[in-house]
Amino acid sequence: MGACLGVCSLLSCVSCLCGPAPCLLCCCCPSAKNSTISRLLFTLFLFLGTLVSIIMIIPGVEKELYKLPGFCEGSGSVLGLQTHVNCSSFLGHKAVYRMSFAMASFFFLFAVLMVCVRSSKDPRAAVQNGFWFFKFLVLVGITVGAFYIPDGAFTLVWYYFGMVGSFLFTLVQLILLIDFAHSWSQLWLRNADESNAKGWYAALCIVTFIFYTISIAGIVLLYIYYTKPEGCTEGKVLISINLILCLIVSVVSILPKIQDAQPHSGLLQASFITLYTIYITWSALANVPTQACNPTLLVRNSTSSAATTQVTTWWDAPSIVGLVIFILCTLFISVRSSDHPQVNKLMLTEESTARAGGEAAAVESGLYRAYDNEQDGVSYNYTFFHLCLLLAALYIMMTLTNWYRPDENLQLLTSPWAAVWVKISSSWSGLLLYFWTLVAPLVLPDREFS
């Protein structure tokens, strides 16, 4: 009897895996929105691929990849020329690239399939919100196929794809962080006004002070470890430029005209953006290819076999911080929309009018289950969401490999200057974007920026 009940329970779970998102998560997400559950499940696929990539790049596991038949053979083939390269030190690097290619292909496929889906009444919406078991099989199939891609020019070409995608995803992160900083400040100021409690103002001051203190300490450490009294001119210039830009946006945020146009603008947002800018600067300097100016530079060549020698660890502090930020921003995209209409329009995540009716129906029925909140219109753009996950897959690929790539002779993993300039450019873009959020109400007084 117990066995029969167990089989019935298993069949029920399988039917849910093949069915819609509300069926899959109705037990753990009562009265949850269908759109939110679907985004979380796609994000779970991304996190699963990220976890596999992390496992593959662990030195102990990387040595075992050498045993995979054919995975290292032919790795010296570049544009048809066989160079007889020992690739055993690059196996984790190769595995991460192929796992990223599989995830990017998976999300690109759904981005194309979901073009112009307007509501859950579109038959393609059923594919977006259901058939999760088959989606998982598709992802596994693409992953297996990706590991049979011959090297050739794949590594170099996919590296540049990763560089562009990472830059774009960093811009998405910056938009989310700026929006979060504004929402955070507005929430605390609103609580202070409603409760007449000075504790909220004290908390604002304390957090702002902590952010600026960490930022100043970070700048000092960057000057100490990534510059020298003689030489390292690039590092000195980049740190100084970002320091000056952070000072400018901090001063602008508290100017009287800015305060009149945006009463909630202040140093909390500026300190938060400053701290993130210092992190990006640190991450960029960690990719400077000069050993004398970069004490954290990782060196790894093809003559040190992963199967016989100690493998250099690829987990440096900037990569760990970047991984944490990636997880938080990806979850942010998946579970909520912004409090600001302008950001929702930019991120294509405006709430559907079906939300209230669907939630009420779920409550009135007395059943704790997810409900369809997209009958009259989708609450987020399916294609844009999948493109964001595609960019996230490229970003995590570059983060896990520290933006390193094999040199022209496939003898050494190097950190190119291009990685430094892409990261620095993203920090400048973020500061420019935050500066625009401050001055936009003054430049365009006829538009609504609330």
Side-chain angles (χ1 to χ4, degrees), residues 325-361:
I325 296 174
F326 152 79
I327 293 174
L328 295 177
C329 288
T330 307
L331 287 175
F332 188 92
I333 295 173
S334 303
V335 301
R336 71 181 295 268
S337 57
S338 172
D339 297 330
H340 302 95
Q342 296 294 334
V343 177
N344 283 330
K345 291 180 181 179
L346 183 62
M347 299 296 294
L348 303 177
T349 55
E350 294 186 87
E351 287 296 327
S352 169
T353 56
R355 179 182 184 276
E359 187 172 7

Side-chain angles (χ1 to χ4, degrees), residues 154-176:
F154 170 79
T155 300
L156 181 61
V157 172
W158 196 239
Y159 175 84
Y160 287 113
F161 269 95
M163 186 175 293
V164 175
S166 298
F167 175 79
L168 295 176
F169 186 73
T170 301
L171 295 183
V172 174
Q173 284 185 339
L174 288 165
I175 294 173
L176 297 176

Side-chain angles (χ1 to χ4, degrees), residues 6 37-38 44 47 86 96 100 130 179 223 231 268 306 311 356 365 379 388 419:
I37 295 176
S38 296
L44 181 62
F47 287 167
N86 179 4
V96 171
S100 169
D179 175 60
Y223 275 118
L268 176 62
V311 180
S365 64
S379 62
C388 285

